[in-house]
Amino acid sequence: MDIRHSEFLPCLHCPPFVGPLPVSHVSFSSACPVPLPGSPSLHRGLHPSREEKRDSRMAEEKKLKLSNTVLPSESMKVVAESMGIAQIQEETCQLLTDEVSYRIKEIAQDALKFMHMGKRQKLTTSDIDYALKLKNVEPLYGFHAQEFIPFRFASGGGRELYFYEEKEVDLSDIINTPLPRVPLDVCLKAHWLSIEGCQPAIPENPPPAPKEQQKAEATEPLKSAKPGQEEDGPLKGKGQGATTADGKGKEKKAPPLLEGAPLRLKPRSIHELSVEQQLYYKEITEACVGSCEAKRAEALQSIATDPGLYQMLPRFSTFISEGVRVNVVQNNLALLIYLMRMVKALMDNPTLYLEKYVHELIPAVMTCIVSRQLCLRPDVDNHWALRDFAARLVAQICKHFSTTTNNIQSRITKTFTKSWVDEKTPWTTRYGSIAGLAELGHDVIKTLILPRLQQEGERIRSVLDGPVLSNIDRIGADHVQSLLLKHCAPVLAKLRPPPDNQDAYRAEFGSLGPLLCSQVVKARAQAALQAQQVNRTTLTITQVLSLSTSAPGSGSTTTSPVTTTVPSVQPIVKLVSTATTAPPSTAPSGPGSVQKYIVVSLPPTGEGKGGPTSHPSPVPPPASSPSPLSGSALCGGKQEAGDSPPPAPGTPKANGSQSNSGSPQPAP
Amino acid sequence: MAALAEEQTEVAVKLEPEGPPTLLPPQAGDGAGEGSGGTTNNGPNGGGGNVAASSSTGGDGGTPKPTVAVSAAAPAGAAPVPAAAPDAGAPHDRQTLLAVLQFLRQSKLREAEEALRREAGLLEEAVAGSGAPGEVDSAGAEVTSALLSRVTASAPGPAAPDPPGTGASGATVISGSASGPAAPGKVGSVAVEDQPDVSAVLSAYNQQGDPTMYEEYYSGLKHFIECSLDCHRAELSQLFYPLFVHMYLELVYNQHENEAKSFFEKFHGDQECYYQDDLRVLSSLTKKEHMKGNETMLDFRTSKFVLRISRDSYQLLKRHLQEKQNNQIWNIVQEHLYIDIFDGMPRSKQQIDAMVGSLAGEAKREANKSKVFFGLLKEPEIEVPLDDEDEEGENEEGKPKKKKPKKDSIGSKSKKQDPNAPPQNRIPLPELKDSDKLDKIMNMKETTKRVRLGPDCLPSICFYTFLNAYQGLTAVDVTDDSSLIAGGFADSTVRVWSVTPKKLRSVKQASDLSLIDKESDDVLERIMDEKTASELKILYGHSGPVYGASFSPDRNYLLSSSEDGTVRLWSLQTFTCLVGYKGHNYPVWDTQFSPYGYYFVSGGHDRVARLWATDHYQPLRIFAGHLADVNCTRFHPNSNYVATGSADRTVRLWDVLNGNCVRIFTGHKGPIHSLTFSPNGRFLATGATDGRVLLWDIGHGLMVGELKGHTDTVCSLRFSRDGEILASGSMDNTVRLWDAIKAFEDLETDDFTTATGHINLPENSQELLLGTYMTKSTPVVHLHFTRRNLVLAAGAYSPQ
């Protein structure tokens, strides 16, 4: 049994390891960010007993989850084989397993010490090195990951597998990439954490009222935040330093936010703003609608990032809705645009709990999409851009705030559809409705727009080719046409199998057919370009987004699945869209653009009966994922296990909306 | 480079201790005078055995006075080791003593053996009857060297003293004989963990019971305790954990692996949750081979688990065990447990819970009985201008109110001697230099502008965030005048920032220095090299993460301690390393300068804290006794004591004069990571990984408060300059402020509480919490109160 354990440790990195690794067991459980408040129990994450329970010594209540996990002896075999020892006796394996497990645990426990003394929450490889050094063992060289070693977890067939993902790296890629910037040097920065007992609301400090608290206040006004109440731990990804990978961490983090609050809770009913806040509000609103663009940019930036705005939120919301009301009547396009930009900025602020004010914002935004007239000279002014922008905003709102109870998305969809279907709708409104629908995602396009393409094409043709009735109509029809082409082409490219035949398109989509066809061809070329960079597995579906349409805001919508329902009894079609890489034009916008889900998605079965009928073509649910929920569950699990990028302003709700969309919505 | 230091006495490396009056190592005679050296003193303190320790205590009788006159007869050349000899854990129980005797006989040290036997009051038969002679002989030798190597291994060879004379005490005999004939080979080698023969230490586990009966024994006892009266149940429940551990270890040692496993599975859930870390270690211990060199196991074995039980409960237990003929458990109770019996009411569950949690049970009551001089030293009289300043302050309107309490504290400091203060020259302190006096005057001036804090007047907190530290910030310190910040980093560097407009400049090169007119008035200014002025200086020298940093009070030096086992002294004049103090051969977790400079303390993974003087390359004292890493070390404001916090979940207070442990505080449920003394020296606040802050009354040796609120390791603690506010910073990214005055105001320090150590903690920590300030994502690594009571906090931003 005189084994130098060092010889075994490098094998940690030998894939595949069967069974749970004890190292991960030991280290992660203890490295997880620690105990809950107020209790001397150190690891309540593992040990759920409460203080009151501790009074009685009943064994059942206080079962610690401690078991002596050992490496399976198969692992020993695998390791032995990898070192060229073919036959190894079962007994030997067993002995080795015991010994190696013990040594690994011992080292992991020592490594924890270094982690604690290093004032970190994460165990690093260097901690392990130092622990080895303590034992007079040569440390492992070459494993200096700054972050944790990304062991991946997979399970299937009742077996669990941890593996170390080793990507093949093309050297030429590395050589050709420009050198990364030199990391910044350590520097000191001072700020006021507290001034005579009050924490100033500056960007360096966390928002005065965390989003959870704002929500708690909004939804449960009677229940004041009490210490120790873990109301919505993992529900929202947004939390102070909550580790995204660890649900437990969030639960534990939740109380400190609430705790201590009861002492200095502000009376909620009073909505008085301090003088500073009033000044700020005045400055900001004036700058936002003023004439100086630089000032406006600054003000919008402030709205989008400042953590302390939540007290002023009702004022802003009223300002916007009133502003829209007045300026639509006056046809003041510029002001409408400014107000929409304010909405956008508010939505971008990660610290605001906007749900309370959505009812004021949505009508304002919708007005800017579908209003008959938005400017004084509709033939010259580019009110189309405003409609596009507002449409993206509505899509963003849907994505963020739509739940099964408020049904925002379905109500909005219904509104748009109604005004579009109406024969008498002017072209401007028509444009807005289509834009609004198109921004809601591919599935909406597929089920609601594509079936009407032919009809709409006819209408457009009648205006464009027919006698000149009015220039305004002509321009409107022109815009609607390009809008339809822009949005439908990428969807069609995905739905239809490759040979793009002008005649087939014409047969299916009427007068718009030929134009669509050429657009689809273009889209395909783009997709092919993308596909080269994407590692195609059988399970991953690359979906290329329409390029120019995705606005900075909606870039993040790509990760959210959209559920559409068809009016018949058809099952719900669920598509978890997986944008593997962001489209080039929006590359900087999509925060989660490199997310990859192993999700079974439907293969394009676009053949079928997508006839010119008004029946939407039902797409059969994918055979391999029988229920939409399983898809999203898998996807969620993957996201947790993987190293998903930190939640960006847009994404925290992604999880929520995924689960929401999994449940059936009433048909519009 | 050392030559560039300002004064000659401050030049760091000096082999002969002749410069300033230095704290001489306790001499052999001193050790003897203390009553068999560490044996008696550390017996009770160090959690040693009861049987042997008490019998050997008979030798000198009574509690030892810490201030014992140094016997002139002792060989003056004895090096610092004797203080260190009482080993970590002080395992002077019977076996060890017997083993030592055997060893002495084997090494033909007849006289020493005689002396030791006399001290211990052991009979010849006991020795002879302790086992087969040959076996015990070798075992004894191993024990001795094993025990010693822990200490001596880290104390370099030359420190080992010559074997002392025949009349020497037990402790000195151990160290002397071992380092004389036997140890040299082992000195400097690896510590006890790697000693091949722990079997001797383990031999006590040899007693073989029926392994299948263990579960029955345990559940029988469990049933008995659960059925006992409520008032006894809580007390007797304390038995569960140590019994569980020892029974499990016995099973493992006797190679009943399956029984051990099922025993563990069945009963580990009963144990209190705060033992979970230890249980995790235990659970991985499944083979006899593993027991060799497992530190936790050794701790259990070498130190008796101390339980405090009322006489009634104890009688109940004893009767039960005798009725049941439950010898197995009775043996364990006898062998491995120290039951500290007290008369009176049994304690409540809450009272017990407050005090337990450490690796080796509670502290014995005697351990906290010795007198501690917690008062402050008299401030040296500083000339007139200061007093003028004072008067002016008094005359101004509005000031007097502010000044009154301060007046008290200052008054007690300077006018009359604090009754609790140690004699002024109890330990030799360095003379004040002119620059120090200037600094003191500055300090006094600032003091008059100090904000008077209180619940209604909270301090402002200025947070220094280390950006781009990439999780690498491991230590921070701020100078007393808040002009410099030092950061220790995982990449082995120490960085010093100036946070005032005054930039950091180093002294010119020697060749340039010779050109300077030494008579000129501004010579101090002229020696500085303007070209080197910068806000940041980086000190390279360590070869591992820097876990501790401390500025000297005069701001001329900086200490840093590192994973590489060294403590380094840096000059802030030249920004170079002056000395590397080697001694801890393992990572050094913390170091701190004495409030009067010159001395410093360090503590590390080798489980000892060491006291050093800057001009000695070897430690003056070794404070041994902790059963696990010493995580943090702090000087008492009067510089006569050192507090250490350890991973064994105890806090100890050590007397700098004689190296004795004078206080053991138990009650934390996790490794202790921060310590701070109140400015008046009466109280100690400690923070641990369990997120709690505990407050201790040093004079009475009692826990006086518990501050709950943090949800993660408390990394930093600091009292405001006048002691009204306690600030705590934690890994949970918060700074919290606590009302210290209220926490200390109504203490139960009546005689009964003091005598029994039964405390009733007020459940008011929420009332004491004055404020919680969250950072965005920055653990609070260091806190500091400026002289005007502004809080400076520091930490590295670590995006999640």
Side-chain angles (χ1 to χ4, degrees):
Chain A
M1 284 288 37
D2 188 19
I3 295 157
R4 279 203 44 186
H5 14 281
S6 65
E7 294 171 20
F8 286 86
L9 283 166
C11 306
L12 270 180
H13 305 282
C14 294
F17 246 104
V18 188
L21 274 174
V23 170
S24 64
H25 170 74
V26 173
S27 60
F28 295 153
S29 63
S30 338
C32 72
V34 191
L36 283 163
S39 155
S41 98
L42 241 184
H43 295 273
R44 234 203 263 164
L46 298 173
H47 166 47
S49 81
R50 290 291 157 94
E51 225 167 338
E52 56 268 26
K53 283 190 189 169
R54 287 177 47 233
D55 288 337
S56 57
R57 284 206 67 103
M58 292 299 113
E60 289 71 28
E61 287 178 347
K62 32 181 20 195
K63 275 287 175 205
L64 303 172
K65 284 281 183 309
L66 263 187
S67 58
N68 189 18
T69 329
V70 289
L71 292 167
S73 56
E74 297 145 61
S75 299
M76 290 302 113
K77 277 196 185 130
V78 173
V79 172
E81 274 166 28
S82 73
M83 298 176 79
I85 306 168
Q87 287 299 321
I88 184 162
Q89 284 178 3
E90 189 55 41
E91 206 179 329
T92 321
C93 277
Q94 199 52 49
L95 281 173
L96 279 174
T97 308
D98 285 351
E99 181 69 14
V100 172
S101 309
Y102 173 69
R103 297 291 169 202
I104 289 179
K105 283 182 200 174
E106 210 180 12
I107 286 161
Q109 280 157 357
D110 271 348
L112 277 180
K113 211 178 265 178
F114 283 93
M115 179 191 82
H116 280 129
M117 297 311 296
K119 283 146 185 127
R120 272 176 283 114
Q121 307 268 26
K122 277 182 195 154
L123 195 72
T124 63
T125 45
S126 53
D127 290 332
I128 307 250
D129 283 349
Y130 296 128
L132 288 169
K133 218 170 133 190
L134 274 192
K135 305 246 168 245
N136 277 333
V137 179
E138 183 104 336
L140 303 172
Y141 296 107
F143 290 102
H144 283 283
Q146 273 296 318
E147 294 295 305
F148 60 95
I149 299 176
F151 275 116
R152 295 308 183 87
F153 170 75
S155 67
R159 279 159 66 89
E160 295 180 333
L161 189 70
Y162 291 86
F163 61 97
Y164 179 51
E165 195 175 27
E166 283 185 295
K167 292 199 188 82
E168 260 184 42
V169 181
D170 194 348
L171 277 181
S172 62
D173 282 356
I174 295 180
I175 294 165
N176 291 333
T177 46
L179 284 174
R181 275 191 301 175
V182 178
L184 296 169
D185 199 14
V186 187
C187 60
L188 261 185
K189 186 174 188 299
H191 73 270
W192 290 108
L193 185 68
S194 147
I195 296 173
E196 291 178 357
C198 292
Q199 191 161 27
I202 48 174
E204 285 87 350
N205 286 328
K211 223 170 171 181
E212 282 85 352
Q213 192 183 323
Q214 292 179 40
K215 182 182 176 188
E217 282 174 17
T219 52
E220 290 166 277
L222 292 178
K223 195 155 131 199
S224 70
K226 278 186 191 146
Q229 271 183 343
E230 297 152 38
E231 287 176 336
D232 45 17
L235 197 70
K236 290 195 176 186
K238 174 73 200 165
Q240 296 295 325
T243 48
T244 41
D246 191 354
K248 258 185 278 171
K250 276 176 216 160
E251 273 174 0
K252 287 182 192 156
K253 285 288 180 186
L257 304 176
L258 304 176
E259 194 159 11
L263 279 177
R264 21 188 77 246
L265 255 189
K266 292 211 172 68
R268 280 187 305 276
S269 51
I270 302 168
H271 274 283
E272 274 177 15
L273 296 184
S274 67
V275 180
E276 291 85 353
Q277 282 171 324
Q278 287 174 25
L279 281 176
Y280 174 85
Y281 173 77
K282 189 160 159 277
E283 284 289 319
I284 288 284
T285 47
E286 275 172 9
C288 277
V289 297
S291 54
C292 174
E293 183 58 35
K295 256 191 178 174
R296 176 162 33 251
E298 214 171 297
L300 289 174
Q301 171 74 15
S302 168
I303 294 178
T305 54
D306 267 358
L309 295 184
Y310 80 110
Q311 281 164 321
M312 280 168 278
L313 199 50
R315 306 291 203 283
F316 279 126
S317 152
T318 315
F319 178 81
I320 290 167
S321 69
E322 288 297 314
V324 169
R325 191 183 310 208
V326 171
N327 286 297
V328 161
V329 175
Q330 298 182 348
N331 290 327
N332 194 336
L333 180 65
L335 274 180
L336 288 173
I337 292 175
Y338 299 152
L339 290 169
M340 286 304 107
R341 285 173 67 182
M342 274 181 83
V343 175
K344 170 98 178 88
L346 282 175
M347 297 214 23
D348 285 347
N349 191 324
T351 64
L352 292 180
Y353 180 75
L354 221 56
E355 272 85 339
K356 268 199 284 189
Y357 307 100
V358 167
H359 70 279
E360 278 188 317
L361 295 179
I362 289 183
V365 179
M366 292 286 276
T367 306
C368 291
I369 300 174
V370 295
S371 174
R372 184 188 298 265
Q373 194 176 357
L374 287 170
C375 48
L376 289 173
R377 296 165 301 166
D379 48 342
V380 188
D381 291 335
N382 188 3
H383 58 96
W384 313 106
L386 172 62
R387 291 176 203 273
D388 281 337
F389 184 74
R392 285 195 289 271
L393 272 181
V394 155
Q396 200 181 345
I397 288 174
C398 282
K399 193 187 126 237
H400 278 213
F401 305 118
S402 185
T403 65
T404 45
T405 43
N406 62 21
N407 275 334
I408 290 179
Q409 174 151 357
S410 66
R411 283 152 69 187
I412 286 176
T413 316
K414 210 186 283 177
T415 314
F416 283 139
T417 320
K418 214 167 123 195
S419 62
W420 183 24
V421 171
D422 190 353
E423 287 292 323
K424 297 193 193 78
T425 311
W427 282 106
T428 46
T429 306
R430 197 171 287 280
Y431 179 92
S433 310
I434 298 172
L437 284 174
E439 291 293 348
L440 288 176
H442 284 197
D443 292 303
V444 177
I445 295 178
K446 193 166 62 187
T447 49
L448 294 176
I449 299 184
L450 292 188
R452 285 184 60 86
L453 269 184
Q454 196 171 33
Q455 234 175 317
E456 199 62 28
E458 286 306 314
R459 202 197 308 273
I460 293 167
R461 198 167 57 97
S462 69
V463 174
L464 292 182
D465 299 350
V468 182
L469 295 171
S470 94
N471 195 25
I472 291 179
D473 275 354
R474 218 185 153 79
I475 294 171
D478 196 39
H479 270 99
V480 169
Q481 179 176 325
S482 52
L483 179 79
L484 285 171
L485 290 177
K486 187 175 75 176
H487 284 295
C488 293
V491 181
L492 283 172
K494 211 162 59 68
L495 284 177
R496 293 173 70 96
D500 291 312
N501 191 335
Q502 294 260 358
D503 295 335
Y505 273 84
R506 184 186 294 280
E508 199 173 326
F509 302 113
S511 58
L512 280 176
L515 284 170
L516 261 180
C517 183
S518 56
Q519 286 279 336
V520 169
V521 172
K522 263 190 226 164
R524 268 193 223 290
Q526 204 87 42
L529 203 73
Q530 299 257 311
Q532 287 173 351
Q533 303 158 5
V534 174
N535 176 22
R536 257 185 204 280
T537 63
T538 47
L539 290 180
T540 311
I541 282 190
T542 315
Q543 175 183 337
V544 181
L545 289 177
S546 56
L547 303 182
S548 50
T549 60
S550 42
S554 63
S556 56
T557 58
T558 56
T559 55
S560 89
V562 181
T563 302
T564 41
T565 51
V566 284
S568 61
V569 289
Q570 295 296 332
I572 303 149
V573 176
K574 161 95 175 157
L575 180 89
V576 178
S577 62
T578 60
T580 46
T581 51
S585 65
T586 60
S589 69
S593 56
V594 274
Q595 273 179 345
K596 195 162 70 177
Y597 301 141
I598 300 186
V599 158
V600 183
S601 190
L602 64 164
T605 52
E607 282 303 323
K609 48 221 164 180
T613 54
S614 60
H615 295 294
S617 69
V619 184
S624 43
S625 79
S627 107
L629 280 173
S630 75
S632 76
L634 217 164
C635 153
K638 174 69 185 169
Q639 196 176 24
E640 268 177 41
D643 48 348
S644 58
T651 41
K653 295 264 179 114
N655 276 343
S657 66
Q658 268 170 13
S659 55
N660 289 335
S661 56
S663 54
Q665 292 178 359
Chain B
M1 282 294 111
L4 293 178
E6 266 192 338
E7 286 184 33
Q8 235 198 342
T9 52
E10 288 292 316
V11 171
V13 187
K14 275 221 163 187
L15 297 192
E16 296 86 39
E18 50 183 49
T22 176
L23 178 60
L24 281 177
Q27 301 177 339
D30 190 281
E34 281 166 78
S36 324
T39 317
T40 38
N41 264 342
N42 268 47
N45 296 342
N50 56 350
V51 184
S54 59
S55 59
S56 70
T57 315
D60 72 345
T63 46
K65 286 240 168 182
T67 48
V68 176
V70 174
S71 143
V81 172
D87 165 65
H92 296 294
D93 55 12
R94 199 182 187 85
Q95 276 82 26
T96 322
L97 204 63
L98 291 179
V100 170
L101 284 171
Q102 290 289 348
F103 174 76
L104 290 177
R105 182 186 297 168
Q106 193 192 16
S107 331
K108 310 250 180 339
L109 292 168
R110 194 69 210 170
E111 285 157 294
E113 188 201 338
E114 283 296 332
L116 178 55
R117 183 166 304 132
R118 264 202 311 281
E119 286 287 341
L122 280 176
L123 297 176
E124 188 88 25
E125 298 88 81
V127 182
S130 67
E135 186 195 317
V136 175
D137 267 2
S138 60
E142 248 106 56
V143 170
T144 325
S145 52
L147 295 174
L148 275 164
S149 62
R150 256 202 212 168
V151 176
T152 44
S154 28
D162 296 325
T166 48
S169 65
T172 3
V173 168
I174 295 177
S175 69
S177 55
S179 50
K186 303 209 156 132
V187 165
S189 73
V190 245
V192 76
E193 297 87 72
D194 297 334
Q195 291 289 327
D197 270 280
V198 191
S199 55
V201 183
L202 295 173
S203 61
Y205 280 130
N206 258 334
Q207 50 204 7
Q208 183 96 13
D210 184 0
T212 51
M213 294 298 286
Y214 274 54
E215 288 188 16
E216 214 162 290
Y217 290 148
Y218 187 86
S219 43
L221 184 75
K222 189 173 145 193
H223 180 74
F224 159 71
I225 291 177
E226 271 163 10
C227 293
S228 60
L229 283 176
D230 279 356
C231 62
H232 300 303
R233 190 191 300 144
E235 288 214 312
L236 293 178
S237 298
Q238 297 177 79
L239 275 168
F240 282 127
Y241 176 65
L243 280 180
F244 170 79
V245 171
H246 284 291
M247 289 173 89
Y248 177 75
L249 287 178
E250 268 190 43
L251 284 173
V252 171
Y253 183 76
N254 293 314
Q255 297 185 309
H256 304 297
E257 281 164 34
N258 291 332
E259 283 86 357
K261 200 172 171 190
S262 80
F263 182 78
F264 189 89
E265 293 281 309
K266 195 159 173 196
F267 297 116
H268 81 267
D270 298 1
Q271 311 308 327
E272 296 284 359
C273 43
Y274 36 79
Y275 291 124
Q276 212 198 4
D277 283 345
D278 294 338
L279 288 178
R280 193 174 285 135
V281 175
L282 268 189
S283 76
S284 61
L285 250 176
T286 52
K287 288 209 178 338
K288 191 179 173 184
E289 291 82 25
H290 296 163
M291 293 175 83
K292 284 183 197 166
N294 187 297
E295 294 160 25
T296 315
M297 205 288 307
L298 267 178
D299 289 335
F300 280 121
R301 177 62 195 89
T302 53
S303 58
K304 296 209 171 195
F305 198 93
V306 183
L307 304 171
R308 213 180 276 183
I309 290 184
S310 72
R311 189 169 296 282
D312 292 351
S313 306
Y314 181 69
Q315 295 295 352
L316 201 66
L317 174 76
K318 205 167 157 187
R319 213 177 308 134
H320 168 77
L321 290 178
Q322 277 166 356
E323 268 172 29
K324 287 277 155 107
Q325 304 263 305
N326 202 337
N327 282 331
Q328 201 64 36
I329 288 185
W330 186 242
N331 278 341
I332 291 178
V333 171
Q334 292 285 327
E335 293 281 335
H336 302 296
L337 268 51
Y338 178 97
I339 299 190
D340 191 3
I341 301 166
F342 62 85
D343 295 302
M345 282 283 289
R347 291 186 293 170
S348 71
K349 173 83 181 149
Q350 269 168 328
Q351 285 177 320
I352 293 171
D353 268 347
M355 298 294 289
V356 296
S358 99
L359 198 62
E362 293 181 53
K364 290 173 202 166
R365 275 170 301 159
E366 311 88 86
N368 290 335
K369 287 283 186 265
S370 46
K371 169 141 177 75
V372 174
F373 299 102
F374 56 80
L376 301 183
L377 291 178
K378 212 170 71 174
E379 287 291 315
E381 300 291 336
I382 296 174
E383 54 278 22
V384 200
L386 167 73
D387 285 330
D388 284 348
E389 187 81 16
D390 244 4
E391 293 309 311
E392 276 168 34
E394 204 101 10
N395 292 339
E396 275 174 45
E397 282 303 318
K399 280 278 167 77
K401 208 185 276 177
K402 255 188 203 173
K403 294 241 16 147
K404 226 168 234 169
K406 228 181 304 148
K407 196 77 180 122
D408 287 345
S409 59
I410 293 173
S412 67
K413 258 191 266 177
S414 50
K415 302 293 185 299
K416 57 175 188 285
Q417 178 77 19
D418 185 336
N420 292 310
Q424 202 70 13
N425 53 357
R426 188 163 180 267
I427 62 165
L429 292 171
E431 295 267 329
L432 276 188
K433 291 175 293 180
D434 286 348
S435 57
D436 295 334
K437 285 178 184 158
L438 275 175
D439 201 52
K440 284 245 185 289
I441 292 168
M442 278 300 296
N443 192 355
M444 293 295 185
K445 281 182 184 164
E446 295 267 309
T447 304
T448 59
K449 295 173 188 160
R450 183 179 295 168
V451 182
R452 176 89 182 136
L453 298 178
D456 304 322
C457 181
L458 294 176
S460 301
I461 305 173
C462 178
F463 204 100
Y464 283 97
T465 312
F466 289 78
L467 297 170
N468 312 316
Y470 307 104
Q471 304 236 339
L473 181 76
T474 44
V476 178
D477 195 37
V478 181
T479 51
D480 188 66
D481 69 347
S482 317
S483 62
L484 304 175
I485 288 186
F489 289 84
D491 63 1
S492 316
T493 58
V494 180
R495 288 159 196 255
V496 183
W497 279 268
S498 166
V499 290
T500 57
K502 200 178 154 195
K503 300 213 166 166
L504 299 172
R505 295 170 301 175
S506 51
V507 174
K508 286 178 182 164
Q509 296 294 322
S511 54
D512 300 331
L513 281 177
S514 58
L515 304 176
I516 293 174
D517 173 17
K518 292 174 191 62
E519 301 304 315
S520 70
D521 290 339
D522 58 344
V523 65
L524 286 178
E525 191 59 27
R526 287 194 187 194
I527 60 171
M528 305 313 269
D529 189 354
E530 273 311 318
K531 276 174 289 185
T532 60
S534 71
E535 276 178 11
L536 163 67
K537 293 278 184 187
I538 307 181
L539 308 175
Y540 298 99
H542 280 295
S543 60
V546 179
Y547 290 115
S550 174
F551 283 105
S552 71
D554 61 3
R555 294 186 299 285
N556 282 327
Y557 302 104
L558 173 68
L559 277 172
S560 63
S561 70
S562 157
E563 188 270 340
D564 61 14
T566 62
V567 178
R568 281 177 186 270
L569 181 75
W570 309 85
S571 163
L572 298 183
Q573 302 291 337
T574 60
F575 294 98
T576 52
C577 181
L578 301 178
V579 201
Y581 300 95
K582 295 173 185 167
H584 297 276
N585 284 335
Y586 289 102
V588 189
W589 297 131
D590 198 10
T591 186
Q592 201 211 5
F593 255 114
S594 143
Y596 294 89
Y598 184 57
Y599 299 113
F600 65 92
V601 63
S602 66
H605 177 73
D606 58 1
R607 304 172 172 206
V608 295
R610 284 155 202 258
L611 179 83
W612 312 73
T614 45
D615 58 359
H616 287 59
Y617 67 100
Q618 285 168 354
L620 303 180
R621 296 286 181 277
I622 295 182
F623 304 116
H626 277 297
L627 299 175
D629 301 33
V630 176
N631 283 345
C632 47
T633 54
R634 282 292 172 273
F635 262 99
H636 190 276
N638 68 19
S639 196
N640 277 257
Y641 297 91
V642 165
T644 55
S646 161
D648 67 9
R649 309 190 282 273
T650 62
V651 178
R652 284 172 186 250
L653 192 70
W654 309 86
D655 192 336
V656 164
L657 180 69
N658 49 28
N660 288 334
C661 176
V662 290
R663 289 285 180 273
I664 304 177
F665 296 130
T666 61
H668 271 299
K669 319 290 187 227
I672 287 140
H673 277 257
S674 50
L675 290 171
T676 190
F677 283 95
S678 69
N680 60 11
R682 281 189 67 192
F683 303 104
L684 177 67
T686 58
T689 55
D690 57 9
R692 299 183 315 154
V693 176
L694 295 184
L695 306 172
W696 311 90
D697 182 329
I698 294 169
H700 297 96
L702 290 175
M703 185 194 296
V704 292
E706 178 187 25
L707 307 176
K708 291 185 203 168
H710 283 294
T711 56
D712 204 338
T713 308
V714 180
C715 292
S716 48
L717 283 169
R718 195 59 79 99
F719 280 97
S720 65
R721 292 281 172 153
D722 295 328
E724 313 98 332
I725 299 267
L726 173 65
S728 61
S730 157
M731 293 293 289
D732 66 10
N733 303 341
T734 57
V735 175
R736 286 173 201 253
L737 301 178
W738 310 86
D739 189 341
I741 291 190
K742 201 167 162 195
F744 294 131
E745 81 186 346
D746 37 35
L747 293 182
E748 277 188 78
T749 46
D750 54 281
D751 290 341
F752 175 73
T753 323
T754 321
T756 55
H758 299 180
I759 38 134
N760 281 308
L761 287 181
E763 275 293 327
N764 61 347
S765 59
Q766 283 313 309
E767 295 162 30
L768 298 178
L769 181 64
L770 297 178
T772 303
Y773 306 99
M774 203 138 185
T775 65
K776 249 183 173 170
S777 185
T778 311
V780 186
V781 175
H782 188 82
L783 287 167
H784 175 81
F785 275 87
T786 66
R787 288 169 176 172
R788 298 186 189 186
N789 268 341
L790 171 74
V791 184
L792 304 184
Y797 179 68
S798 53
Q800 295 288 324

